[in-house]
Amino acid sequence: QTRLQAGQGYGNTLHCVLTVYRNESVAGFFKGMAFPLASIAVYSSVVFGVFSNAQRLLGERRRGAAAPALRDTALASALAGAVSVAIGTPVDLVKIRLQMQTQPLLQANIPSTPPVPGFPVYRGPMHCFRTVLQKEGITGIYRGAGAMLLRDVPGYCLYFIPYVFFCAWITPDGCISPSPASVWLAGGVAGAISWGTATPMDVVKSRLQADGVYVNRYKGILDCILQSYQSEGLKVFFRGITVNAVRGFPMSSAMFLGYELSLKAMKRDQTEANP
């Protein structure tokens, strides 16, 4: 997804997969994954915790209405999306820098001083983080945060709202909570919708965060959008949409299923401890 959005020379998803495998073998598909794997538990806990607690508090303000209103879900989703940026931006930046440091750059005025495109700049995630922090400061670590905010606030609205809607629609009348199968399906559909619609701003975020490995090409979000459109047309903002939608289904299915099953287990333990 990152290489399709911020790299060059890939005709389509299959061509990208074959090129990465041919040049870097299987290890190429796992570049930059250490930070996301180390932080995914905290990231997901914060996002789902903010959403569920905000939704509960908003519901209580409406005097305990049984079903959460659409407005409450939308506000809680937007808040979760905004909070996610604080954790997610540095993680995404490190991941993208590690994935893109050996890739051909989009056309730009490459400086004559080293490092040169194709030569690894970062030795690993911690070296990448320290290097960016030393050279660019906190603003460098949060490069692309504005684009991520514009991606995640509407993206999480289109993540949680479809999930709540599909869960209610699939769950038979009279059932207190949705079945695991309903949660899995609703979560997958919500993930595919969210990631698919978030792709245009995801492209902008990926390009802004990849920018700076060798050269700073973009001055900001608007400049990135204008340059990308002028050089590659409207289709550039839909690069990686297939990958996003396809990966969004199983990833979100597992996320929501784990969340709901964890909540049920904790509630059951509380009930047993306080009969």
Side-chain angles (χ1 to χ4, degrees):
Q1 167 242 350
T2 299
R3 300 193 189 203
L4 283 170
Q5 292 176 344
Q8 66 174 358
Y10 303 114
N12 51 43
T13 303
L14 180 60
H15 180 237
C16 179
V17 170
L18 294 176
T19 302
V20 172
Y21 179 75
R22 183 168 56 249
N23 294 337
E24 304 171 54
S25 74
V26 176
F29 298 104
F30 295 92
K31 277 189 175 179
M33 291 307 297
F35 249 35
L37 285 174
S39 61
I40 186 65
V42 174
Y43 179 84
S44 299
S45 297
V46 170
V47 169
F48 278 84
V50 168
F51 169 75
S52 59
N53 282 293
Q55 190 183 52
R56 176 178 56 80
L57 290 172
L58 289 168
E60 289 176 356
R61 290 184 62 184
R62 294 189 305 106
R63 298 183 181 178
L70 178 62
R71 185 185 65 180
D72 294 351
T73 303
L75 288 172
S77 302
L79 182 59
V83 171
S84 74
V85 174
I87 303 173
T89 302
V91 173
D92 270 16
L93 180 115
V94 171
K95 180 192 73 173
I96 287 172
R97 291 284 178 96
L98 290 172
Q99 289 174 342
M100 292 302 298
Q101 64 177 337
T102 57
Q103 294 301 295
L105 289 173
L106 296 169
Q107 290 182 354
N109 295 319
I110 306 298
S112 58
T113 56
V116 295
F119 184 82
V121 179
Y122 311 115
R123 295 191 295 270
M126 291 308 299
H127 180 251
C128 177
F129 185 87
R130 287 197 305 268
T131 302
V132 175
L133 187 61
Q134 290 169 0
K135 292 184 176 180
E136 305 174 50
I138 294 295
T139 56
I141 291 295
Y142 279 90
R143 184 177 180 84
M148 191 170 182
L149 189 68
L150 293 174
R151 183 197 74 175
D152 283 3
V153 170
Y156 273 109
C157 287
L158 292 172
Y159 187 62
F160 288 112
I161 292 175
Y163 170 73
V164 171
F165 171 78
F166 281 113
C167 265
W169 184 51
I170 297 172
T171 303
D173 293 338
C175 290
I176 299 175
S177 61
S179 67
S182 298
V183 170
W184 182 87
L185 181 58
V189 172
I193 292 172
S194 176
W195 274 106
T197 54
T199 297
M201 195 50 64
D202 192 41
V203 171
V204 176
K205 182 198 73 72
S206 295
R207 292 189 166 207
L208 285 171
Q209 292 186 322
D211 194 38
V213 177
Y214 304 105
V215 63
N216 290 322
R217 183 185 183 196
Y218 306 116
K219 298 181 180 69
I221 297 172
L222 184 59
D223 184 51
C224 179
I225 292 172
L226 292 175
Q227 285 197 48
S228 299
Y229 176 75
Q230 288 168 0
S231 60
E232 300 171 73
L234 190 62
K235 65 181 180 181
V236 69
F237 300 109
F238 296 93
R239 279 189 177 184
I241 189 170
T242 302
V243 176
N244 273 344
V246 169
R247 78 165 184 175
F249 191 100
M251 182 175 69
S252 299
S253 293
M255 197 83 73
F256 276 108
L257 186 59
Y259 170 71
E260 294 288 0
L261 291 178
S262 297
L263 281 182
K264 286 183 179 179
M266 286 186 287
K267 288 178 180 178
R268 185 171 58 249
D269 291 342
Q270 289 177 354
T271 302
E272 292 174 355
N274 301 292

